[in-house]
Amino acid sequence: MKSPSISAVLLLLLLPFSYALKFELVAQHGHNNERCIRNFVTKDTLVVVTAIVSGSRGDGQMVNMHIKDAVGNDYGRPKDVAGEKRMAFTSLADTAFDVCFENTLTGRTNVHNPSRHVELDIDIGADARDWSAIQANEKLKPVETELRRMEETVNEIVQELEYLRLREQKLRDTNESTNERVKWFALGTMGMLVGLGAWQVVYLRAYFRSKHLI
């Protein structure tokens, strides 16, 4: 198999391992009004989710969070979030995870179309670690700390490339298996048609002979 091209590696280097979003979360009556942000993460990767929610508790709105992944793992359900809320977890599978918000009206408010402003910051892998604390604990120089962070980032990229290679291999094996099954199914169908045609010829000849037509 060909090794990953330099352009692919550079593309992964440019991909952000952390990002921030800002949006308005409109309050609604009842539940089932979640707004989710999805991202993909590999297994055993550290993820830090930081949410800053405007407003205060008791203002007639209640913002609930829910962090989950696509295979059913639950990483937390903070209730009535106001101000800054930080949660950290280690992923349990190679899958996508969702950070969901729900703003529910809990009382009367004089504000037209009440809403909460949310600032969401998601750090994954090396970007999720507290490098200032690591530098202080291990007494590292700034250059050493930066090199350490870059080393972990490169390791994450290598792991991501390996995951993509294994996934491509699995898909290729599935395609080859499907093609093999289709080939044998086609041969079996052709054999059945040939056998059916031969049986029809024999049957018709016997029928015509019994009627003394041939």
Side-chain angles (χ1 to χ4, degrees):
M1 178 179 292
K2 295 182 179 179
S3 59
S5 63
I6 297 177
S7 59
V9 175
L10 291 177
L11 178 61
L12 285 174
L13 284 171
L14 293 175
L15 290 176
F17 288 92
S18 65
Y19 63 88
L21 293 174
K22 297 181 180 180
F23 56 91
E24 296 294 327
L25 191 64
V26 179
Q28 299 181 18
H29 290 284
H31 299 280
N32 299 324
N33 58 346
E34 285 187 338
R35 183 173 181 179
C36 298
I37 292 88
R38 172 165 290 190
N39 202 344
F40 182 84
V41 68
T42 56
K43 186 178 180 180
D44 297 329
T45 301
L46 176 64
V47 179
V48 176
V49 178
T50 304
I52 302 177
V53 182
S54 64
S56 59
R57 295 179 179 177
D59 62 354
Q61 303 178 63
M62 183 171 66
V63 175
N64 299 325
M65 291 179 60
H66 185 196
I67 303 177
K68 57 186 177 180
D69 64 21
V71 296
N73 296 310
D74 201 324
Y75 297 106
R77 293 173 175 264
K79 302 292 185 180
D80 200 6
V81 179
E84 182 175 338
K85 180 66 177 181
R86 175 171 295 187
M87 297 187 65
F89 65 91
T90 301
S91 57
L92 301 177
D94 297 324
T95 185
F97 70 93
D98 296 323
V99 181
C100 300
F101 295 87
E102 179 185 59
N103 190 5
T104 305
L105 286 172
T106 58
R108 291 186 176 181
T109 176
N110 296 325
V111 180
H112 181 64
N113 292 330
S115 64
R116 292 277 189 88
H117 181 74
V118 179
E119 295 184 15
L120 177 64
D121 187 21
I122 300 177
D123 297 311
I124 300 175
D127 290 330
R129 302 188 63 182
D130 189 351
W131 291 103
S132 298
I134 294 175
Q135 180 179 358
N137 293 334
E138 300 185 13
K139 298 180 180 179
L140 300 175
K141 296 180 180 180
V143 175
E144 294 175 334
T145 304
E146 185 64 21
L147 289 175
R148 178 89 168 270
R149 188 188 68 81
M150 292 176 62
E151 180 183 5
E152 292 202 9
T153 302
V154 171
N155 289 335
E156 290 175 0
I157 294 173
V158 172
Q159 293 176 3
E160 181 71 15
L161 289 174
E162 180 65 15
Y163 168 77
L164 293 175
R165 185 188 68 81
L166 293 176
R167 186 175 181 182
E168 187 272 337
Q169 182 179 355
K170 183 178 180 181
L171 292 175
R172 187 181 67 250
D173 293 342
T174 301
N175 289 335
E176 292 177 354
S177 176
T178 302
N179 291 336
E180 189 72 14
R181 293 180 181 180
V182 170
K183 181 185 73 174
W184 286 111
F185 177 77
L187 291 176
T189 302
M190 291 178 61
M192 290 178 60
L193 292 175
V194 171
L196 180 61
W199 176 82
Q200 287 179 338
V201 170
V202 173
Y203 174 80
L204 291 175
R205 289 183 64 182
Y207 175 78
F208 290 144
R209 283 179 179 176
S210 65
K211 298 297 183 179
H212 304 287
L213 297 177
I214 58 174

